[in-house]
Amino acid sequence: VKGDEDDDGSGSSATVGPHTKVTISDDALNQLIKGYCREAGVRVLERKIETIFRKVALKVVKDPNPPSSIEVQESDLVEYI
C-alpha cells in the first residue's frame, strides 16, 4: 500500500496492489476524526486510516477482478473500523 495526499490536497488516498486506487472521502475523514479519534494527537487517527487501507487491501486481494478505484465513504466506516 502506497499512501499519498489527493492531487487537490484534500482527502487521503493510497494505491493497493498495482492497479487499485483507494480514497477516503473528506466526509469520512471528518467523521473518523469526530467519532473515532477522541484522544489528543494524530497517532490514533493514523492507526485508524491504516486499518481502513489494510482492510480494503484485503478485499482487493481476495477479488479476482478488483476495481480500478475504491472510495471509502462515511457510511463505510462501520465496516472498516
Side-chain angles (χ1 to χ4, degrees):
V1 176
K2 179 185 175 213
D4 59 337
E5 194 173 89
D6 281 351
D7 294 338
D8 64 358
S10 65
S12 184
S13 67
T15 303
V16 178
H19 304 291
T20 304
K21 180 175 181 176
V22 180
T23 305
I24 301 175
S25 72
D26 288 340
D27 290 339
L29 282 175
N30 288 331
Q31 180 59 33
L32 189 61
I33 291 165
K34 291 177 189 174
Y36 294 91
C37 301
R38 296 191 177 134
E39 297 177 22
V42 297
R43 197 172 305 170
V44 173
L45 176 62
E46 181 180 28
R47 286 187 200 134
K48 297 292 183 186
I49 292 171
E50 289 171 351
T51 298
I52 291 169
F53 284 133
R54 279 194 305 273
K55 288 184 178 182
V56 171
L58 184 60
K59 277 183 130 180
V60 169
V61 169
K62 289 182 175 182
D63 190 341
N65 297 311
S68 61
S69 66
I70 296 173
E71 183 170 21
V72 177
Q73 299 293 326
E74 185 176 351
S75 60
D76 300 324
L77 291 178
V78 174
E79 177 183 354
Y80 293 118
I81 298 294

